[in-house]
Amino acid sequence: MELSDRKRQILRAIVDDYIHTAEPVGSSYILNKHNLGISSATIRNEMAYLEEHGYLDKPHTSAGRVPSSLGYRVYVDELMQRYTLTVNEINELKNSLKKQYMELGNVVSDISRTISHLTNYTTIVSTPVIKSSKLKNIKFVVIDDHNLVMILVSSDGLVKNTMLHIKEKLNASVIEKLSNFLNIAFSEKPFVEITEDFLYTQRELIPVDDELINPIFNFILMCAKSFVDFDILKSGESNILNFPEFKNIETAKEFFDFIKNMDKTVLSSNALSGDVKVLIGNENPALEKLGLSMVVSDYTLKDGAKGGIAIIGPTRMDYSKVVATLDYIKNNLNKFLP
């Protein structure tokens, strides 16, 4: 349903005011704060229309109105003014990206903390996954008759190693042949394709004892999973307590339980692509129950690694600032990383 310009102005004013005050908005408040050039009676009539058509809700204890999920959706998609990050906010984001790190996970953690600080909401970031990563080669270094070091190198230059202890005496010739076979079978194999089923088919082709091959295959599988899986880093969970909607102990507890048990698939790079997305209230049952909204985005690094970022807060969150913050991260991440 297409809203008139006047109805859109009033809806935007109500959403803007409710985001910043957490108080139901009445016609007199709009009249005094917003120069719309119309009477209080006209504002009341338009608010009644917006309520009747599902854009506003009326709390029982107040004469004012609050936005509904539909009202927020129209606001986010059509009405909100784009937030411009301040110089200080941009500098804080830049500083979190420019630091030198030994591990990318530290970069992601710092970005999460910075976003949470700037927005005052809870931030959840998934560590990056390189879907195109492949196994480059496997090496064995025999230490003595019963111990050898296994080294696995990825196509991205990442190295993982482990010490294997074998009860039976190691045979250097067998180890060399096994190394040759594994490098033929596994070289340039994408880690996403190295599954238990794949390893089972390869096991049938190798005439060596289980005691030797099982720990080797277990390590390969563990490495493959680590390259295609991701961790979730959380920041600013306690920020929710700054909002009156979550002052109640039970409501706060439900929020912390939700964050603790958040499904990793939400931030899977498969689920996130393209523009920043806003999930409002009833568009997700778990969010609606707790009175939350979530703004999500993917990010891509120079090497093709992908991850996801989610900012979670009350349904009346400052969507404009959150979207602007995620847009900045998404568009500038690679400019500052070493």
Side-chain angles (χ1 to χ4, degrees), residues 80 82-86 89-90 92-94 96-97 111-121 123 276 295-299 309-311 318-333:
M80 74 179 183
R82 182 172 179 83
Y83 180 86
T84 301
L85 295 173
T86 66
E89 288 168 343
I90 290 175
E92 189 167 347
L93 289 170
K94 283 183 178 179
S96 72
L97 298 175
I111 290 172
S112 177
R113 288 192 297 271
T114 301
I115 293 175
S116 182
H117 170 70
L118 289 179
T119 62
N120 200 33
Y121 300 124
T123 303
V276 174
V295 184
V296 296
S297 174
D298 65 348
Y299 66 86
I309 304 174
I311 300 177
D318 190 344
Y319 295 100
S320 184
K321 182 174 183 178
V322 169
V323 170
T325 302
L326 284 187
D327 272 338
Y328 184 88
I329 291 292
K330 185 179 177 71
N331 296 328
N332 292 278
L333 183 60

Side-chain angles (χ1 to χ4, degrees), residues 72-137:
Y72 281 119
R73 173 48 62 195
V74 174
Y75 173 83
V76 168
D77 291 346
E78 304 175 21
L79 305 179
M80 74 179 183
Q81 295 180 331
R82 182 172 179 83
Y83 180 86
T84 301
L85 295 173
T86 66
V87 173
N88 287 339
E89 288 168 343
I90 290 175
N91 285 337
E92 189 167 347
L93 289 170
K94 283 183 178 179
N95 289 335
S96 72
L97 298 175
K98 284 182 176 179
K99 294 178 182 178
Q100 299 297 313
Y101 298 93
M102 291 299 293
E103 292 189 5
L104 187 57
N106 293 334
V107 180
V108 175
S109 178
D110 207 40
I111 290 172
S112 177
R113 288 192 297 271
T114 301
I115 293 175
S116 182
H117 170 70
L118 289 179
T119 62
N120 200 33
Y121 300 124
T122 300
T123 303
I124 300 178
V125 182
S126 65
T127 54
V129 174
I130 308 174
K131 286 189 174 182
S132 60
S133 184
K134 301 176 181 179
L135 197 162
K136 184 176 181 180
N137 59 52

Side-chain angles (χ1 to χ4, degrees), residues 6 9 47 80 84 153 181-182 213 231 274-275 293 304 311:
R6 190 163 66 191
Q9 284 182 316
M47 289 175 66
M80 74 179 183
T84 301
V153 183
F181 175 87
L182 292 177
I213 198 61
D231 293 324
D275 297 332
S293 286
I311 300 177

Side-chain angles (χ1 to χ4, degrees), residues 197-323:
D197 289 341
F198 172 75
L199 292 176
Y200 179 80
T201 60
Q202 297 302 310
R203 174 68 187 92
E204 298 296 302
L205 304 175
I206 304 176
V208 298
D209 293 338
D210 287 345
E211 185 189 352
L212 175 59
I213 198 61
N214 284 349
I216 291 173
F217 272 18
N218 287 340
F219 181 66
I220 293 174
L221 184 61
M222 182 194 73
C223 292
K225 288 181 177 179
S226 72
F227 279 110
V228 300
D229 197 9
F230 59 89
D231 293 324
I232 283 184
L233 307 175
K234 305 171 185 178
S235 298
E237 295 97 320
S238 62
N239 284 344
I240 201 68
L241 300 177
N242 295 326
F243 300 97
E245 302 96 312
F246 294 87
K247 293 294 186 182
N248 179 278
I249 293 177
E250 285 303 316
T251 305
K253 182 178 181 300
E254 288 179 353
F255 171 81
F256 289 121
D257 287 342
F258 170 74
I259 296 298
K260 179 180 178 181
N261 300 313
M262 188 172 176
D263 190 344
K264 288 177 69 174
T265 59
V266 173
L267 288 182
S268 165
S269 56
N270 291 326
L272 300 174
S273 60
D275 297 332
V276 174
K277 295 180 176 61
V278 179
L279 302 176
I280 300 172
N282 65 0
E283 296 170 3
N284 180 297
L287 295 175
E288 181 181 27
K289 178 184 176 184
L290 297 175
L292 298 170
S293 286
M294 178 164 59
V295 184
V296 296
S297 174
D298 65 348
Y299 66 86
T300 304
L301 303 181
K302 295 176 182 177
D303 57 7
K306 289 182 176 291
I309 304 174
I311 300 177
I312 303 172
T315 308
R316 64 176 184 88
M317 71 159 56
D318 190 344
Y319 295 100
S320 184
K321 182 174 183 178
V322 169
V323 170

Side-chain angles (χ1 to χ4, degrees), residues 159-175:
V159 178
K160 293 183 179 291
N161 63 78
T162 188
M163 175 76 78
L164 300 178
H165 177 77
I166 309 300
K167 291 183 179 179
E168 293 188 6
K169 185 176 181 179
L170 293 171
N171 184 309
S173 176
V174 171
I175 297 300

